[in-house]
Amino acid sequence: MEERTYVQAELERLFRDWFIRVSAIGAVVFLLLAPLDYLSVPEKFGAFLRYRITISMVLAVLSLLAWKSRKKIALRTIAYLAVLLSAVITEVMILQFGGHLSPYYPGMILLAVFVLGFLPAGIRYHMLLAGTIYGVYVLPILFTDEITSPRIFLTRNLFLLLILGAGVVIRHFNLGFLVRMIRLNHEISQQEQHLEEIIWDRTQDLEKITGEWKLTFDSIGEMIAMVDGEGGIVRANRAAALHAGKDVREIVGTSIFDLFKDDDLPQPLHPPEKMKATGRRAETEFLVGETGRWSVASAAPVREKGEPTGGGVCIVREITALKHMEEALVKSKDEWEETFNLIEDAITIHSDDFIIQRANAAARKMLGDDSLTIVGRKCFQVFHETESPVSGCPSCEALKTGSATTVDLYEPILGKYLEITALPRPGKDGSGSGIIHIVRDITERKDAFDAIDQASRRMQRILEMAPFGIFIVNESGRIEFANPAILRLSGISGEHFTGAMIGDLPGCKDTGVGEMIAKAVGGIPFRRGPVEFTCHRGQKKSVGHFTGIPLEELGEKKALVFVDDLTELKKAEDERQKLHSLLLQAQKMESIGTLAGGIAHDFNNILTAIINYTGISLTKLEEGHPVRRYLDIILQSSERAARLTGQLLAFSRKQVLKIRPVDINATIEHLGDMLHRTLGEDIALELDIESGVRTVMADQGQIEQIVLNLAVNARDAMPRGGRLIIETRDVELDSEFIKRHREMIPGPYV
């Protein structure tokens, strides 16, 4: 096991073991200190005892969890919870008895000593624990307690900070000492293990070497013979004896040259002969007869204390498979060269210092040069005509990171957009051994991508500027795309509209369009409209048409939906119809006014004769004559009829209204007798007149006629009798009222 892993594992084990012990001891100590509560605060003994039992149980549970846990983050979290809960319970007891003067202040000291004195962890974790303990102690006191003795409070704070700081520092140094001890133990155990392994291996080797050497010597399939200075065989293995067709003991003492035919391996070319002449190792390849089998014979001098003894070791092994492999390698090399030159991408192989070692035909064609002028030069000189690597060079990045790097750039020297990939070339030992540099001409692809990007941005602008809503729904009924127009129409934001289910949208759910969209996904197009629905903001929206078209993307069925928003057009149409109705009403009223004007003129002429002759008759009769009373009534009725004709003329716009200040209350009270006679005995008339109402500018005759008309209409509506109440009030008409009665303006009215 590596030292770092061993140290980390040992620290985690110690932290876990010590936390289990400390939490268990803390739980017991917390309970054992209960008698102090009884002596100090007998009236709070019960509450404090519950606190102590609670935290003891929590510590016991956390100790059990730590015993079960094996993960570092879990142990750190459990330990932090234990410290936090212990500090909180202690602080609660402090706040409930004395606050900053509480005798339970040493509890925080005891907690700090337990935590910082026994938990082996890093300094940052201990600083977190120390900060937690101090924060739990001081913050509640500052916010809830009245500091009556600042000196004692500051002294206790300084002492607690001193304890916490000292604990952190001491734990830091102790942790360093502990790490050194663990490392020393690891090193000692590793050395002991290593020594034991060496001793065991050496013992086993010594026990086996004698038997294994002979067994190995005889088991080797290659011919092995130890010879003296004259080529005499001193020792031979079983393969050599089999080659000679004799027993091992029979060939010992014979000449090594007798084992081979002169036609296969003449004596002057025999390795022992060459070794004897040069004093160095010699080797010869030869073909064995007409079998087509190749062998290699070698002879190496035997030395004793660095000096040759004259003898040597001869080894003969068959290399037919090696010969065939060499031929295959040569063929493979030729095929590789052919493939290398057939690749359309420009490929060059560089050394670590950017010198081109090989280049394929595509590279030579791209650079317009041959291998003689490319190979041996720096790659940046060949590709960029610079004396140093260009900015963002992929070869530099690949050498730095050890991983493949690809960049796209425009090379003005070649007038092309290039995709350059640099791959680290591993050496035989696994370390870097240069760069494989691949260059692809992406000019056409770049132009195509630019055209696609331009078309995409044009389409995006069209979708954003389209005056009608567009959205796409997938097979699951979820919206994948929405343009700004549909967002404005629906009143839903883009993040809520895109991704929503089509059945959840009010405009589709309430109108049944959602089902039609689902059918469009299945391949059935539709067009429906105009449809009116309530949008997300609760406003009525009039939609001209929903149009759904089946769509397929990457094999998935979808629906492309267009929505024509005719809200403003609908409003304009409604306004036009309203204006048309008003025009018809105005034309009708104009016709009625013309008719009323003609009738009023004729009726006024008749009334003029009645009034005049009645007046003449009154002048002919003396005062007190009984007929005068009837003539007065005729005259008064004729005058009221004349006022009525005046109103008809005013209605027909053929007489100017007499606008003057009118007291509404006085006018209604004056009409009381006439209203009683008009209504009859079955209908009770009640006048609810508010004193002090404003004076209005109006034609009094029209006011009287309005009241009379209302009374007559009320009488006709109550054939069985009832009550008619006429009220007068000062009112203020606001904008809400005006919205419903557009012919008026806001302000005070009677």
Side-chain angles (χ1 to χ4, degrees), residues 260 265 269-272 274 281-286 295-299 314-319:
F260 302 97
L265 187 61
L269 300 178
H270 211 291
K274 295 166 67 176
R281 182 179 183 278
E283 184 176 278
T284 302
E285 294 181 2
F286 61 95
S295 294
V296 59
S298 64
C314 295
I315 301 175
V316 180
R317 66 180 184 277
E318 185 177 347
I319 60 169

Side-chain angles (χ1 to χ4, degrees), residues 29 83 147 164 169 174 208 243 315 323 397 482 537:
V29 170
V83 174
I147 309 301
L164 293 171
V169 173
N174 285 344
K208 295 180 180 179
H243 177 76
I315 301 175
K323 279 291 186 180
E397 188 67 19
R537 292 189 297 267

Side-chain angles (χ1 to χ4, degrees), residues 627-694:
V627 179
R628 288 186 66 91
R629 183 169 65 86
Y630 301 114
L631 291 177
D632 287 335
I633 293 173
I634 293 172
L635 184 60
Q636 291 176 6
S637 298
S638 299
E639 289 175 350
R640 284 198 300 270
R643 286 198 297 271
L644 177 60
T645 58
Q647 292 172 8
L648 288 173
L649 289 172
F651 174 74
S652 64
R653 303 295 192 268
K654 296 185 178 181
Q655 180 177 351
V656 179
L657 298 177
K658 298 178 180 178
I659 304 299
R660 60 177 182 269
V662 176
D663 186 344
I664 296 295
N665 287 349
T667 301
I668 292 176
E669 289 173 347
H670 176 71
L671 291 172
D673 294 338
M674 183 181 294
L675 291 174
H676 279 293
R677 292 193 300 271
T678 302
L679 295 173
E681 297 179 355
D682 295 336
I683 297 177
L685 175 65
E686 297 180 12
L687 299 181
D688 185 2
I689 305 299
E690 183 183 81
S691 62
V693 295
R694 298 183 183 94

Side-chain angles (χ1 to χ4, degrees), residues 81-120:
L81 286 175
V83 174
L84 176 63
L85 293 174
S86 300
V88 168
I89 292 297
T90 305
E91 180 66 12
V92 170
M93 296 171 71
I94 289 174
L95 293 175
Q96 290 195 5
F97 185 60
H100 67 288
L101 300 176
S102 174
Y104 286 94
Y105 161 75
M108 285 294 182
I109 302 297
L110 183 62
L111 177 61
V113 172
F114 261 80
V115 172
L116 302 180
F118 296 102
L119 292 182

Side-chain angles (χ1 to χ4, degrees), residues 306-364:
E307 296 296 330
T309 61
V313 177
C314 295
I315 301 175
V316 180
R317 66 180 184 277
E318 185 177 347
I319 60 169
T320 305
L322 273 176
K323 279 291 186 180
H324 292 165
M325 190 178 297
E326 285 181 1
E327 294 173 358
L329 286 174
V330 171
K331 182 179 179 182
S332 176
K333 178 178 178 297
D334 294 340
E335 291 176 350
W336 182 88
E337 288 282 355
E338 183 179 358
T339 304
F340 184 61
N341 287 312
L342 286 175
I343 296 175
E344 295 183 355
D345 294 338
I347 302 177
T348 52
I349 300 175
H350 307 169
S351 64
D352 289 343
D353 53 357
F354 307 105
I355 294 177
I356 298 175
Q357 297 174 334
R358 295 183 72 91
N360 70 344
R364 296 192 296 271

Side-chain angles (χ1 to χ4, degrees), residues 126-196:
H126 276 296
M127 290 179 67
L128 173 64
L129 296 180
T132 300
I133 293 171
Y134 182 71
V136 170
Y137 168 70
V138 73
L139 292 178
I141 292 177
L142 289 176
F143 286 110
T144 63
D145 192 18
E146 181 179 357
I147 309 301
T148 58
S149 180
R151 182 179 63 81
I152 295 177
F153 177 66
L154 291 176
T155 302
R156 288 188 171 188
N157 272 272
L158 290 175
F159 186 66
L160 180 56
L161 286 173
L162 179 62
I163 293 295
L164 293 171
V168 171
V169 173
I170 292 172
R171 174 49 56 195
H172 175 64
F173 286 110
N174 285 344
L175 184 62
F177 174 75
L178 182 60
V179 170
R180 289 194 294 273
M181 291 298 296
I182 293 173
R183 287 176 176 170
L184 181 60
N185 289 337
H186 178 264
E187 185 176 352
I188 292 172
S189 64
Q190 290 291 99
Q191 290 294 336
E192 289 177 351
Q193 182 180 356
H194 183 62
L195 289 174
E196 289 176 357

Side-chain angles (χ1 to χ4, degrees), residues 395-624:
S395 296
C396 297
E397 188 67 19
L399 288 173
K400 180 180 177 181
T401 62
S403 58
T405 303
T406 301
V407 297
D408 294 347
L409 55 82
Y410 177 75
E411 178 49 61
I413 300 299
L414 301 176
K416 300 177 183 292
Y417 284 98
L418 304 178
E419 178 189 82
I420 303 176
T421 300
L423 300 93
R425 183 186 179 195
K428 294 180 180 180
D429 58 353
S431 60
S433 179
I435 290 293
I436 298 175
H437 191 269
I438 304 172
V439 180
R440 177 172 296 175
D441 184 357
I442 60 169
T443 305
E444 293 183 2
R445 186 176 73 183
K446 182 71 167 56
D447 293 341
F449 282 169
D450 289 343
I452 293 173
D453 182 62
Q454 184 178 0
S456 175
R457 283 189 275 109
R458 183 185 299 115
M459 181 58 66
Q460 185 67 27
R461 289 196 302 270
I462 292 172
L463 291 174
E464 290 178 353
M465 298 174 64
F468 46 83
I470 303 173
F471 61 94
I472 297 175
V473 182
N474 61 21
E475 282 185 300
S476 62
R478 194 173 298 279
I479 298 173
E480 291 186 348
F481 168 81
N483 74 334
I486 191 63
L487 300 180
R488 292 192 298 268
L489 173 62
S490 65
I492 304 175
S493 60
E495 61 270 17
H496 291 97
F497 193 92
T498 304
M501 298 299 294
I502 193 66
D504 295 336
L505 299 179
C508 297
K509 178 171 61 177
D510 301 340
T511 60
V513 174
E515 298 177 0
M516 303 181 74
I517 293 176
K519 293 181 180 179
V521 174
I524 303 175
F526 73 91
R527 180 173 175 82
R528 182 180 179 187
V531 177
E532 187 176 274
F533 65 91
T534 303
C535 77
H536 184 65
R537 292 189 297 267
Q539 300 171 340
K540 280 289 184 179
K541 283 287 184 178
S542 178
V543 178
H545 289 94
F546 277 83
T547 303
I549 302 172
L551 178 68
E552 185 171 339
E553 288 184 347
L554 301 177
E556 182 180 359
K557 293 182 178 180
K558 301 179 181 179
L560 178 64
V561 183
F562 298 89
V563 184
D564 299 326
D565 180 11
L566 300 181
T567 305
E568 298 301 325
L569 186 61
K570 183 68 165 55
K571 288 181 180 178
E573 179 64 21
D574 291 344
E575 189 68 25
R576 189 189 68 78
Q577 291 181 359
K578 183 177 179 181
L579 291 175
H580 182 67
S581 299
L582 291 176
L583 176 61
L584 293 177
Q585 184 68 17
Q587 291 174 345
K588 186 188 297 183
M589 294 303 293
E590 183 179 2
S591 300
I592 294 173
T594 301
L595 177 61
I599 294 173
H601 274 294
D602 294 339
F603 190 59
N604 197 41
N605 293 332
I606 297 171
L607 288 176
T608 300
I610 294 172
I611 292 171
N612 290 335
Y613 282 109
T614 301
I616 294 171
S617 298
L618 285 173
T619 59
K620 299 294 184 179
L621 298 176
E622 66 277 4
E623 292 294 334

